[in-house]
Amino acid sequence: MAEGDTGAPRSGGAAQGDAFSKREAANEDYYVRQKEMEKLQNLKQKIEEHKRHLEELDKHVEETMKQGKK
């Protein structure tokens, strides 16, 4: 592609740093951070669900042990 063609790399590359390139990079960074935050929130939710499940299992084990001692 020649310089100026649609989709052609800009002269100076990423080092040029015009306002559009900076804004585009900032938008991409923001998007990535948002997606990472969503993933972290989902992981935290799954951890809490697993903690609750483990507590239920622990209670069940304790009840079973108490019944076995009778």
Side-chain angles (χ1 to χ4, degrees), residues 18-55:
D18 64 358
F20 179 78
S21 296
K22 289 179 183 179
R23 184 174 186 176
E24 185 178 21
N27 284 337
E28 289 173 1
D29 290 345
Y30 178 77
Y31 177 81
V32 169
R33 281 194 309 272
Q34 290 299 105
K35 289 298 176 183
E36 288 175 350
M37 289 299 294
E38 288 175 17
K39 289 178 185 179
L40 285 172
Q41 290 297 327
N42 288 337
L43 286 172
K44 286 181 180 181
Q45 182 179 356
K46 287 183 180 184
I47 288 171
E48 288 302 317
E49 290 171 5
H50 285 282
K51 282 182 181 178
R52 283 193 295 272
H53 183 68
L54 286 172
E55 288 173 5

